[in-house]
Amino acid sequence: MAPLSSDAFRNAMSKVCGSVNPITTVGAAGRGGFIATAMCSVADDPPKLLVCINQKSRQSDTFISNACSV
């Protein structure tokens, strides 16, 4: 997967308007996802997004194994 440019990230964040955001991951642990009711952009270079997930969630291990910070 190609890295996301700062301009593309800012453009995508400007289009976020809802409070229901699908968050997904894919990697060695497989695919996973959940619906976040809150998220925010932290930085655009490199692109970073802040989303919180309950560590007791069934998806938590998948996100951790796919090298996402939770």
Side-chain angles (χ1 to χ4, degrees), residues 1 4 13 18-19 22 24 30 36 39-40 43 49 55 59 65-66:
M1 183 178 291
L4 187 63
M13 289 296 98
S19 60
T24 62
M39 66 160 203
C40 66
L49 190 64
Q55 289 181 333
Q59 295 296 316
S65 296
N66 285 341

Side-chain angles (χ1 to χ4, degrees), residues 41-62:
S41 60
V42 176
D44 65 353
D45 190 21
K48 291 184 182 183
L49 190 64
L50 172 66
V51 180
C52 297
I53 183 172
N54 188 322
Q55 289 181 333
K56 294 181 182 179
S57 164
R58 288 182 287 164
Q59 295 296 316
S60 180
D61 288 339
T62 304

Side-chain angles (χ1 to χ4, degrees), residues 10-22 36-40:
R10 279 193 304 271
N11 186 43
M13 289 296 98
S14 73
K15 293 177 180 5
V16 174
C17 62
S19 60
V20 176
N21 304 285
T37 56
M39 66 160 203
C40 66

